Amino acid sequence: MSAITDIMVALKTAIETALPTYQRMPNPYFLDRNSALLMRSGYGVGVGSATNTNRLITGKVSIDRTFEIVLVNQIDALPSDAVNVELEEKAILEAAFTLIKYFENNEQLGISNVVLNSRYLSDSGIEFIDLEVQRYHQLTLSVGVEYM
Protein backbone atom coordinates (compact mmCIF):
# COMPACT_ATOMS: atom_id res chain seq x y z
CA MET A 1 0.00 0.00 0.00
CA SER A 2 1.02 3.60 -0.47
CA ALA A 3 1.74 6.00 2.39
CA ILE A 4 -1.57 7.83 1.89
CA THR A 5 -3.53 4.56 2.07
CA ASP A 6 -1.68 3.55 5.23
CA ILE A 7 -2.47 6.94 6.79
CA MET A 8 -6.17 6.77 5.87
CA VAL A 9 -6.40 3.31 7.47
CA ALA A 10 -4.50 4.53 10.55
CA LEU A 11 -6.77 7.58 10.94
CA LYS A 12 -9.93 5.46 10.72
CA THR A 13 -8.48 2.99 13.22
CA ALA A 14 -7.54 5.86 15.55
CA ILE A 15 -11.06 7.29 15.46
CA GLU A 16 -12.72 3.91 15.96
CA THR A 17 -10.37 3.23 18.91
CA ALA A 18 -10.85 6.63 20.55
CA LEU A 19 -14.59 6.90 19.78
CA PRO A 20 -15.96 3.33 19.62
CA THR A 21 -19.65 4.40 19.45
CA TYR A 22 -19.12 6.45 16.27
CA GLN A 23 -20.06 4.94 12.89
CA ARG A 24 -18.25 5.83 9.68
CA MET A 25 -20.18 7.97 7.18
CA PRO A 26 -19.75 7.22 3.48
CA ASN A 27 -19.46 10.91 2.48
CA PRO A 28 -17.42 13.10 4.86
CA TYR A 29 -17.60 16.08 2.50
CA PHE A 30 -21.39 16.65 2.42
CA LEU A 31 -23.42 15.42 5.39
CA ASP A 32 -26.72 15.73 3.52
CA ARG A 33 -25.49 13.41 0.75
CA ASN A 34 -25.23 10.40 3.06
CA SER A 35 -28.34 8.48 2.12
CA ALA A 36 -30.56 7.55 5.06
CA LEU A 37 -28.19 9.03 7.61
CA LEU A 38 -29.85 7.70 10.72
CA MET A 39 -27.06 7.40 13.23
CA ARG A 40 -26.56 8.74 16.73
CA SER A 41 -22.87 9.55 16.24
CA GLY A 42 -20.81 9.43 13.08
CA TYR A 43 -17.44 10.35 11.63
CA GLY A 44 -15.80 10.78 8.28
CA VAL A 45 -12.26 11.45 7.09
CA GLY A 46 -11.76 13.92 4.27
CA VAL A 47 -8.46 14.43 2.47
CA GLY A 48 -7.27 18.02 2.36
CA SER A 49 -4.42 19.82 0.68
CA ALA A 50 -0.75 18.87 0.86
CA THR A 51 2.50 20.79 0.88
CA ASN A 52 6.01 19.70 0.00
CA THR A 53 8.05 20.47 3.13
CA ASN A 54 11.21 20.74 0.99
CA ARG A 55 12.92 18.28 3.30
CA LEU A 56 14.50 15.05 2.13
CA ILE A 57 14.41 12.28 4.71
CA THR A 58 16.40 9.18 3.83
CA GLY A 59 16.17 10.22 0.21
CA LYS A 60 12.38 10.68 0.23
CA VAL A 61 10.35 13.85 -0.06
CA SER A 62 8.46 14.83 3.09
CA ILE A 63 4.82 15.84 2.55
CA ASP A 64 2.59 17.63 5.04
CA ARG A 65 -1.11 16.95 4.36
CA THR A 66 -4.24 18.15 6.13
CA PHE A 67 -7.01 15.68 6.90
CA GLU A 68 -10.48 16.82 7.91
CA ILE A 69 -12.12 14.63 10.54
CA VAL A 70 -15.85 15.30 10.61
CA LEU A 71 -17.78 14.37 13.76
CA VAL A 72 -21.59 14.44 13.90
CA ASN A 73 -23.93 13.82 16.81
CA GLN A 74 -27.69 13.53 16.49
CA ILE A 75 -29.63 16.20 18.36
CA ASP A 76 -32.49 14.90 20.48
CA ALA A 77 -33.15 17.96 22.63
CA LEU A 78 -35.86 20.39 21.68
CA PRO A 79 -34.49 23.81 20.66
CA SER A 80 -36.22 25.34 23.69
CA ASP A 81 -34.50 22.91 26.10
CA ALA A 82 -31.35 24.90 26.93
CA VAL A 83 -30.01 22.41 29.48
CA ASN A 84 -30.10 19.38 27.16
CA VAL A 85 -28.92 21.38 24.11
CA GLU A 86 -25.88 22.38 26.16
CA LEU A 87 -25.27 18.75 27.19
CA GLU A 88 -25.37 17.68 23.54
CA GLU A 89 -22.95 20.45 22.57
CA LYS A 90 -20.60 19.35 25.34
CA ALA A 91 -20.78 15.76 24.09
CA ILE A 92 -19.36 16.62 20.66
CA LEU A 93 -16.72 18.87 22.24
CA GLU A 94 -15.67 16.00 24.51
CA ALA A 95 -15.45 13.65 21.52
CA ALA A 96 -13.22 16.17 19.72
CA PHE A 97 -11.04 16.54 22.82
CA THR A 98 -10.70 12.73 23.03
CA LEU A 99 -9.33 12.70 19.48
CA ILE A 100 -7.00 15.62 20.16
CA LYS A 101 -5.56 13.73 23.15
CA TYR A 102 -5.22 10.60 20.99
CA PHE A 103 -3.10 12.50 18.44
CA GLU A 104 -0.96 14.00 21.22
CA ASN A 105 -0.21 10.52 22.56
CA ASN A 106 0.14 8.73 19.18
CA GLU A 107 1.81 11.26 16.94
CA GLN A 108 3.07 8.65 14.46
CA LEU A 109 -0.32 6.90 14.23
CA GLY A 110 1.31 3.51 14.79
CA ILE A 111 3.10 3.63 11.42
CA SER A 112 6.47 5.19 12.27
CA ASN A 113 8.02 3.96 9.02
CA VAL A 114 5.65 6.33 7.14
CA VAL A 115 4.41 9.07 9.47
CA LEU A 116 6.89 11.56 10.91
CA ASN A 117 4.26 13.32 13.01
CA SER A 118 0.56 14.06 13.26
CA ARG A 119 -0.98 16.96 15.12
CA TYR A 120 -4.24 18.73 15.78
CA LEU A 121 -4.32 22.03 13.88
CA SER A 122 -7.76 23.55 14.41
CA ASP A 123 -11.49 22.87 14.33
CA SER A 124 -14.60 24.43 12.86
CA GLY A 125 -16.46 24.93 16.10
CA ILE A 126 -19.92 23.43 16.49
CA GLU A 127 -22.17 23.71 13.46
CA PHE A 128 -25.91 23.01 13.41
CA ILE A 129 -27.07 20.78 10.54
CA ASP A 130 -30.80 20.47 9.93
CA LEU A 131 -31.69 17.63 7.59
CA GLU A 132 -35.34 16.90 6.89
CA VAL A 133 -35.27 13.67 8.88
CA GLN A 134 -32.93 14.68 11.71
CA ARG A 135 -30.85 17.45 13.27
CA TYR A 136 -27.13 17.15 14.02
CA HIS A 137 -24.25 18.96 15.63
CA GLN A 138 -21.17 18.81 13.44
CA LEU A 139 -17.58 19.61 14.33
CA THR A 140 -14.68 19.28 11.89
CA LEU A 141 -11.12 18.85 13.16
CA SER A 142 -8.16 19.64 10.93
CA VAL A 143 -5.24 17.29 11.53
CA GLY A 144 -1.84 17.71 9.93
CA VAL A 145 0.18 14.63 9.05
CA GLU A 146 3.76 14.80 7.85
CA TYR A 147 4.81 11.68 6.00
CA MET A 148 7.23 10.38 3.42
Side-chain angles (χ1 to χ4, degrees):
M1 289 192 289
S2 70
I4 196 74
T5 299
D6 290 342
I7 292 166
M8 292 292 292
V9 169
L11 286 171
K12 290 172 188 171
T13 300
I15 296 164
E16 290 168 0
T17 300
L19 303 172
T21 61
Y22 278 66
Q23 297 175 297
R24 192 168 77 135
M25 298 181 298
N27 188 337
Y29 303 100
F30 300 100
L31 183 62
D32 62 340
R33 294 190 186 158
N34 288 291
S35 61
L37 181 65
L38 297 172
M39 62 178 65
R40 304 272 317 140
S41 302
Y43 80 90
V45 178
V47 180
S49 62
T51 303
N52 181 340
T53 66
N54 294 315
R55 298 186 320 152
L56 281 178
I57 300 172
T58 62
K60 296 181 180 179
V61 173
S62 166
I63 299 167
D64 196 16
R65 181 174 299 280
T66 301
F67 292 87
E68 305 295 332
I69 299 175
V70 180
L71 301 177
V72 294
N73 282 0
Q74 182 178 323
I75 299 172
D76 293 323
L78 297 172
S80 60
D81 185 354
V83 172
N84 283 321
V85 167
E86 181 181 353
L87 288 173
E88 290 176 343
E89 289 174 343
K90 287 178 182 176
I92 200 164
L93 289 171
E94 289 296 329
F97 185 70
T98 298
L99 281 180
I100 292 167
K101 291 311 255 178
Y102 182 91
F103 290 117
E104 285 178 0
N105 295 324
N106 300 282
E107 79 171 12
Q108 292 183 311
L109 300 175
I111 46 175
S112 59
N113 61 322
V114 174
V115 174
L116 302 171
N117 69 71
S118 65
R119 68 230 168 267
Y120 164 77
L121 301 173
S122 64
D123 67 59
S124 63
I126 298 172
E127 301 173 63
F128 178 81
I129 308 294
D130 191 0
L131 304 177
E132 290 183 21
V133 294
Q134 192 51 262
R135 299 172 303 137
Y136 291 91
H137 283 131
Q138 176 176 306
L139 191 145
T140 303
L141 291 98
S142 295
V143 175
V145 178
E146 185 181 358
Y147 62 96
M148 54 185 178

